[in-house]
PDB file of all heavy atoms in Angstrom:
ATOM      1  N   LEU A 350       2.690   4.438   0.311  1.00  0.00           N
ATOM      2  CA  LEU A 350       1.543   5.287   0.619  1.00  0.00           C
ATOM      3  C   LEU A 350       0.508   4.580   1.482  1.00  0.00           C
ATOM      4  O   LEU A 350      -0.520   5.160   1.803  1.00  0.00           O
ATOM      5  CB  LEU A 350       0.875   5.750  -0.687  1.00  0.00           C
ATOM      6  CG  LEU A 350       1.784   6.470  -1.682  1.00  0.00           C
ATOM      7  CD1 LEU A 350       1.040   6.716  -2.991  1.00  0.00           C
ATOM      8  CD2 LEU A 350       2.319   7.755  -1.108  1.00  0.00           C
ATOM      9  N   ALA A 351       0.748   3.332   1.829  1.00  0.00           N
ATOM     10  CA  ALA A 351      -0.243   2.554   2.579  1.00  0.00           C
ATOM     11  C   ALA A 351      -0.394   3.086   3.998  1.00  0.00           C
ATOM     12  O   ALA A 351       0.566   3.539   4.614  1.00  0.00           O
ATOM     13  CB  ALA A 351       0.175   1.084   2.626  1.00  0.00           C
ATOM     14  N   GLY A 352      -1.606   3.011   4.500  1.00  0.00           N
ATOM     15  CA  GLY A 352      -1.874   3.381   5.876  1.00  0.00           C
ATOM     16  C   GLY A 352      -3.357   3.575   6.108  1.00  0.00           C
ATOM     17  O   GLY A 352      -4.141   3.729   5.178  1.00  0.00           O
ATOM     18  N   GLU A 353      -3.724   3.579   7.353  1.00  0.00           N
ATOM     19  CA  GLU A 353      -5.105   3.827   7.777  1.00  0.00           C
ATOM     20  C   GLU A 353      -5.573   5.160   7.194  1.00  0.00           C
ATOM     21  O   GLU A 353      -4.850   6.148   7.219  1.00  0.00           O
ATOM     22  CB  GLU A 353      -5.138   3.881   9.309  1.00  0.00           C
ATOM     23  CG  GLU A 353      -6.468   4.143   9.911  1.00  0.00           C
ATOM     24  CD  GLU A 353      -7.286   2.893  10.109  1.00  0.00           C
ATOM     25  OE1 GLU A 353      -6.746   1.792  10.034  1.00  0.00           O
ATOM     26  OE2 GLU A 353      -8.503   3.050  10.326  1.00  0.00           O
ATOM     27  N   SER A 354      -6.777   5.181   6.680  1.00  0.00           N
ATOM     28  CA  SER A 354      -7.325   6.414   6.106  1.00  0.00           C
ATOM     29  C   SER A 354      -7.433   7.504   7.165  1.00  0.00           C
ATOM     30  O   SER A 354      -7.882   7.250   8.280  1.00  0.00           O
ATOM     31  CB  SER A 354      -8.705   6.147   5.503  1.00  0.00           C
ATOM     32  OG  SER A 354      -9.272   7.362   5.072  1.00  0.00           O
ATOM     33  N   ILE A 355      -7.037   8.714   6.809  1.00  0.00           N
ATOM     34  CA  ILE A 355      -7.128   9.823   7.761  1.00  0.00           C
ATOM     35  C   ILE A 355      -8.440  10.594   7.617  1.00  0.00           C
ATOM     36  O   ILE A 355      -8.741  11.446   8.430  1.00  0.00           O
ATOM     37  CB  ILE A 355      -5.930  10.788   7.639  1.00  0.00           C
ATOM     38  CG1 ILE A 355      -5.893  11.428   6.251  1.00  0.00           C
ATOM     39  CG2 ILE A 355      -4.630  10.068   7.960  1.00  0.00           C
ATOM     40  CD1 ILE A 355      -4.890  12.549   6.133  1.00  0.00           C
ATOM     41  N   GLY A 356      -9.213  10.284   6.587  1.00  0.00           N
ATOM     42  CA  GLY A 356     -10.431  11.031   6.338  1.00  0.00           C
ATOM     43  C   GLY A 356     -11.721  10.336   6.725  1.00  0.00           C
ATOM     44  O   GLY A 356     -12.793  10.883   6.533  1.00  0.00           O
ATOM     45  N   ASP A 357     -11.631   9.151   7.273  1.00  0.00           N
ATOM     46  CA  ASP A 357     -12.834   8.377   7.604  1.00  0.00           C
ATOM     47  C   ASP A 357     -13.137   8.445   9.096  1.00  0.00           C
ATOM     48  O   ASP A 357     -12.668   7.627   9.868  1.00  0.00           O
ATOM     49  CB  ASP A 357     -12.664   6.910   7.196  1.00  0.00           C
ATOM     50  CG  ASP A 357     -12.543   6.725   5.705  1.00  0.00           C
ATOM     51  OD1 ASP A 357     -13.010   7.602   4.961  1.00  0.00           O
ATOM     52  OD2 ASP A 357     -11.971   5.700   5.284  1.00  0.00           O
ATOM     53  N   GLY A 358     -13.902   9.437   9.514  1.00  0.00           N
ATOM     54  CA  GLY A 358     -14.346   9.494  10.899  1.00  0.00           C
ATOM     55  C   GLY A 358     -13.517  10.386  11.801  1.00  0.00           C
ATOM     56  O   GLY A 358     -12.529  10.980  11.389  1.00  0.00           O
TER      57      GLY A 358
END
Side-chain angles (χ1 to χ4, degrees):
L350 304 173
E353 179 86 14
S354 174
I355 62 170
D357 295 337

